[in-house]
Amino acid sequence: MSPNVRDNDFGALDVPVTWKKPPLVSIIVPNYNHARYLKERLDSIYNQTYRHFEVILLDDCSTDGSVEVLKEYARKYPENTRLVANEHNSGKVFHQWNKGLELARGEFVWIAESDDYCDRNFLETVLQGLRHQSVMLSFARSVFMQEGKQIWSQEEYLADLPVVWNAPFIMSAHKLVSKAFAIKNVVPNVSSAVFRNIGTIPADIISQWEQMSLCGDWLFYLWLIKGGAVSYTNRVNNYYRIHPGSTSLKIQKTLDYYTETLQISCFVARNYAVDAAVFEVVKKNLIQHCLEKQCITVEEVEKAYSLDKIKESMADRQPNVLICTYAMMQGGGEVFPIYLANELKRQGIAVTFVDFRGERGEKEIRQKLDRNVPLLALPHVLQLRNVMTMLGADIIHTHHGTIDSAVANAIGNRSFPCKQVVTLHGMYEAVPEEELNKILKAVLPVCSCFVYIADKNLLPLKHVQSQIRLKKIGNGLPYLPLSPYSRASLGIEEDAFCLSLVSRGFLYKGWMEAVEAVKRANATIQRPVHLLLVGDGECYEALKQQDLPPFIHLMGRQGNVRNYFAMSDAGLLPSYFKGESFPLVVIESLMSGAPIIASDVGEIRNMITDADGGVAGALFELKDGKVPVDTLTDIIVRLATDSSLYGELKRRVAPVARKFEISCTARQYIDVYNKVWKNVEPTA
């Protein structure tokens, strides 16, 4: 692969997924008084060559017999059709969009407007672009139709933009907005587009959309694709019906068209790294439009489209952030970045999640990344510099020593516009000295700020602390809905004392010591003590070969581990891992309502201590670097038999857990990003 990839070849930088089975597409058909067009529209949907779809028919209180037509198709295709008819008109099209999105079960969404139609292979073709997980929206060529005849083409509509539309392409949102999408809505009709199911449209976008009569869909697309990519194909057609005297044509002759365009430009300025010259082009086009329509004066246009307001919006832009992970796999340094990326997106940051694919990914870990966060599966580390350029990256945030050095080498020197932030999760303390020296040789001259989560993370950097930027930020997680698993289904007595140990099944995570301690506890007291071991690895494989007692449960790798903590009396982490710093499973346990029994390593003591100095669990010290089984047994026995002591620890859990809300953690990282980006020294 060439080291230089063209702007419209972004797909070459993102490894596409292979679908084991066709993904479900939710087709939303919002209708209002389009009875005369419905059969052509619906036939073009139900006759698609791609068959794995559901159809959500929405009627907004039509008065022309539309409902009867929709009922006919709902009866004809009952296995994949739902009809929802409003008794009162909703007043705004986005209300119907959101209603459809609330009902949509598919991985992808196609809003097929009720008066348009398309080629039979439309879905099959457009979906190809969405195999790339960075692609948030994929759209096809539109043919503008009136009274059954073509009156305009996509190529004519977009002829003034510096993008070639006569061949399919995938382009990063950053590049497409800079070249075209900031100037004109390049998706002239929503029926031409299929996008990722991101849930309902957020309130802040809706509040802006409510003020618009024409440009709301343009705003939605710009929000949707931020940090990701867009796919286009000219190999199939969407037929966009233009009605003489339509509302949109009327609005283009009013001042609203110009003020709404200003709103769009301000949104672009706040959310995309575009050159100010782009807005000069927009203004020029608006003046030309005004002269052609002869509807309002040039002076009114210049007043309505204020470049000064756009300049103010540009000053509010936050940096574009790439969050990098070694692999989509279990581990604090892999899972925390996912939750951070989700929260950064929620707080309005343009974020892209980059998977370096260091190991084979795990499906349940991939599912933790929100659907509205673009995921780029990097084909080769040598393409990283291309990725940073095409995404307009301002900050690249890494969480693993191997990736730290790869990114540092890609940036090369601090003259490159992208700045590196490294979070130290404990790996630097655990790797051999020779490997550590290689990492530091690459990273130290480039990294703009090292974030550490535990004081011990600084030991490998003690000789250079005075020369680097440092900031301490603890890990955080989101609160998630809990559905505790049934004890009865696992053969666990309701009155048993139940422990959950969640980690990779390595010796240094204390699996074997935990098993021995629970065996001794059961031999000491009458109350049954059960241990759930959640995870896989060498200890899991070894224990599978043993004849284990019924109170030891090997659960293997699982998805939502909090449901195990929620059914347990306590979490357990008897780790003697040298790199243990700020373990996420401690937070998972606390956020599930379970106190934690853990070795007193890294930041665990500080993590579980409340404002009054009380702890939401029980700690023990390592002995000669290993877990003292007798001590661990005594703790388990005490908590299992002393309800007063256990109750005291349990009461501290909720207040301590609130310290780790991911929203607060993300705000601290955003502050670091901005200071690094603007070359302001972060406060330690």
Side-chain angles (χ1 to χ4, degrees):
M1 187 187 301
S2 169
N4 296 311
V5 180
R6 295 176 298 173
D7 288 349
N8 61 348
D9 285 341
F10 186 78
L13 305 178
D14 184 14
V15 178
V17 296
T18 300
W19 291 325
K20 294 182 179 178
K21 61 179 182 179
L24 180 67
V25 178
S26 294
I27 306 174
I28 300 169
V29 185
N31 173 74
Y32 178 65
N33 283 348
H34 280 156
R36 63 180 291 199
Y37 308 117
L38 275 175
K39 289 195 174 185
E40 185 174 27
R41 164 79 284 178
L42 296 177
D43 285 343
S44 75
I45 290 172
Y46 286 104
N47 291 325
Q48 284 292 303
T49 55
Y50 185 89
R51 303 304 305 161
H52 195 47
F53 59 78
E54 63 170 359
V55 182
I56 302 168
L57 303 173
L58 303 177
D59 186 79
D60 205 8
C61 199
S62 294
T63 58
D64 67 343
S66 289
V67 174
E68 285 68 30
V69 178
L70 295 174
K71 285 181 177 178
E72 176 189 339
Y73 279 82
R75 286 192 297 267
K76 189 175 180 180
Y77 302 99
E79 70 283 353
N80 63 346
T81 304
R82 284 177 284 171
L83 170 59
V84 180
N86 289 344
E87 294 183 1
H88 304 282
N89 186 268
S90 66
K92 290 279 189 177
V93 67
F94 63 78
H95 290 310
Q96 290 295 85
W97 283 29
N98 252 357
K99 178 179 284 189
L101 289 169
E102 287 173 355
L103 296 169
R105 296 177 299 209
E107 183 177 347
F108 304 112
V109 172
W110 174 25
I111 297 179
E113 292 191 315
S114 53
D115 56 338
D116 300 323
Y117 58 103
C118 62
D119 293 338
R120 287 186 67 245
N121 60 336
F122 170 85
L123 261 185
E124 181 180 358
T125 306
V126 173
L127 282 174
Q128 294 305 309
L130 288 159
R131 289 179 181 273
H132 297 268
Q133 297 173 89
S134 63
V135 171
M136 302 304 290
L137 178 145
S138 181
F139 73 110
R141 179 176 183 267
S142 283
V143 179
F144 297 72
M145 304 293 293
Q146 195 170 89
E147 304 298 336
K149 297 180 180 179
Q150 178 177 335
I151 61 170
W152 218 19
S153 70
Q154 178 103 350
E155 293 79 11
E156 290 173 294
Y157 168 64
L158 301 174
D160 58 326
L161 301 175
V163 175
V164 177
W165 303 97
N166 61 5
F169 65 78
I170 294 177
M171 191 180 296
S172 71
H174 168 71
K175 288 291 184 182
L176 186 60
V177 170
S178 297
K179 286 173 169 285
F181 226 151
I183 299 170
K184 181 181 290 188
N185 184 358
V186 301
V187 185
N189 177 227
V190 70
S191 296
S192 70
V194 179
F195 55 88
R196 294 192 182 276
N197 186 346
I198 43 73
T200 56
I201 305 168
D204 61 326
I205 299 301
I206 289 292
S207 65
Q208 296 177 68
W209 195 341
E210 285 178 330
Q211 304 169 33
M212 298 179 174
S213 301
L214 184 65
C215 298
D217 56 344
W218 189 2
L219 176 75
F220 171 70
Y221 305 143
L222 290 167
W223 170 81
L224 173 73
I225 65 175
K226 190 166 66 167
V230 177
S231 173
Y232 171 73
T233 180
N234 67 332
R235 291 176 178 164
V236 287
N237 293 319
N238 162 66
Y239 298 94
Y240 173 27
R241 205 182 301 270
I242 304 294
H243 302 284
S246 69
T247 301
S248 62
L249 292 178
K250 291 177 181 177
I251 293 170
Q252 290 183 39
K253 296 181 180 181
T254 70
L255 194 60
D256 287 347
Y257 172 67
Y258 304 92
T259 57
E260 287 188 23
T261 304
L262 173 66
Q263 287 180 260
I264 294 296
S265 291
C266 287
F267 182 86
V268 170
R270 286 192 301 271
N271 291 276
Y272 287 90
V274 298
D275 193 288
V278 167
F279 305 112
E280 294 281 2
V281 174
V282 177
K283 184 174 181 178
K284 178 183 176 182
N285 290 347
L286 289 176
I287 291 174
Q288 181 64 33
H289 179 273
C290 152
L291 294 172
E292 291 174 358
K293 300 294 182 183
Q294 296 185 349
C295 48
I296 62 174
T297 66
V298 171
E299 290 75 16
E300 287 176 300
V301 173
E302 291 181 332
K303 185 177 179 180
Y305 190 79
S306 169
L307 292 176
D308 287 339
K309 287 185 178 179
I310 296 170
K311 187 175 180 180
E312 291 173 6
S313 296
M314 292 180 77
D316 293 333
R317 187 176 76 83
Q318 299 277 15
N320 295 341
V321 178
L322 273 58
I323 300 288
C324 299
T325 188
Y326 175 72
M328 303 291 280
M329 55 185 281
Q330 188 67 49
E334 288 72 39
V335 174
F336 169 73
I338 293 176
Y339 287 126
L340 177 61
N342 292 343
E343 182 59 25
L344 291 173
K345 180 73 174 186
R346 194 190 69 79
Q347 295 194 26
I349 299 296
V351 60
T352 311
F353 198 89
V354 182
D355 177 14
F356 275 71
R357 304 186 307 137
E359 293 186 23
R360 185 176 181 179
E362 301 171 11
K363 181 180 179 181
E364 60 270 23
I365 302 301
R366 166 64 182 95
Q367 290 173 342
K368 293 180 184 295
L369 188 69
D370 285 351
R371 294 175 292 183
N372 63 355
V373 178
L375 170 63
L376 189 148
L378 196 68
H380 196 284
V381 67
L382 293 179
Q383 293 296 340
L384 182 57
R385 198 174 177 103
N386 279 324
V387 166
M388 292 187 289
T389 300
M390 288 195 182
L391 290 171
D394 299 302
I395 299 291
I396 185 160
H397 186 177
T398 57
H399 299 260
H400 185 284
T402 304
I403 309 307
D404 299 343
S405 55
V407 166
N409 287 325
I411 292 176
N413 57 64
R414 293 192 179 183
S415 66
F416 192 74
C418 186
K419 305 295 179 65
Q420 182 180 22
V421 172
V422 168
T423 293
L424 303 170
H425 289 277
M427 180 179 179
Y428 286 22
E429 301 103 278
V431 299
E433 184 176 359
E434 184 178 352
E435 183 179 347
L436 175 62
N437 289 335
K438 288 182 180 178
I439 294 171
L440 293 179
K441 183 179 180 181
V443 175
L444 284 174
V446 178
C447 178
S448 295
C449 184
F450 289 91
V451 176
Y452 61 103
I453 60 179
D455 292 342
K456 63 190 284 291
N457 299 152
L458 296 179
L459 292 176
L461 301 175
K462 60 184 178 181
H463 62 294
V464 293
Q465 282 189 39
S466 62
Q467 306 166 34
I468 59 177
R469 287 176 165 181
L470 294 168
K471 175 71 175 178
K472 187 175 185 180
I473 303 176
N475 285 339
L477 292 176
Y479 279 95
L480 300 172
L482 295 174
S483 299
Y485 294 121
S486 164
R487 289 190 172 199
S489 66
L490 297 174
I492 300 174
E493 304 89 339
E494 287 302 318
D495 64 341
F497 189 75
C498 185
L499 299 164
S500 282
L501 195 169
V502 179
S503 77
R504 284 178 282 188
F506 298 146
L507 285 170
Y508 53 69
K509 289 290 186 176
W511 278 43
M512 297 309 187
E513 291 85 349
V515 170
E516 181 59 28
V518 169
K519 287 180 179 179
R520 294 185 188 184
N522 276 292
T524 304
I525 59 175
Q526 291 186 337
R527 184 181 183 186
V529 179
H530 286 254
L531 173 64
L532 280 69
L533 292 163
V534 182
D536 58 7
E538 57 187 349
C539 292
Y540 173 77
E541 297 299 329
L543 289 168
K544 277 202 308 184
Q545 307 306 314
Q546 298 183 22
D547 184 16
L548 296 172
F551 50 78
I552 303 295
H553 307 266
L554 291 176
M555 308 310 301
R557 182 192 303 169
Q558 298 293 330
N560 191 346
V561 300
R562 294 194 194 183
N563 290 335
Y564 289 99
F565 284 124
M567 69 168 284
S568 302
D569 295 283
L572 178 61
L573 185 62
S575 174
Y576 51 95
F577 175 45
K578 290 182 179 179
E580 204 73 76
S581 296
F582 206 104
L584 293 183
V585 291
V586 171
I587 306 175
E588 301 266 23
S589 181
L590 296 173
M591 285 187 166
S592 307
I596 188 86
I597 301 171
S599 45
D600 191 1
V601 297
E603 291 287 308
I604 295 178
R605 178 174 292 276
N606 291 334
M607 290 175 70
I608 69 173
T609 300
D610 64 20
D612 298 321
V615 293
L619 299 172
F620 60 88
E621 293 184 0
L622 298 178
K623 186 175 181 180
D624 298 325
K626 296 296 176 64
V627 176
V629 175
D630 289 342
T631 303
L632 178 56
T633 303
D634 290 343
I635 292 174
I636 294 171
V637 168
R638 270 192 293 126
L639 293 184
T641 56
D642 189 336
S643 59
S644 176
L645 172 61
Y646 176 78
E648 183 180 347
L649 302 184
K650 178 83 170 176
R651 282 190 294 273
R652 294 178 184 143
V653 169
V656 170
R658 283 194 288 270
K659 297 193 301 184
F660 306 109
E661 292 187 31
I662 189 66
S663 58
C664 178
T665 306
R667 284 193 294 271
Q668 293 179 74
Y669 271 107
I670 292 171
D671 182 63
V672 168
Y673 299 154
N674 275 293
K675 287 177 177 176
V676 163
W677 183 37
K678 298 172 182 177
N679 291 313
V680 177
E681 188 71 29
T683 304

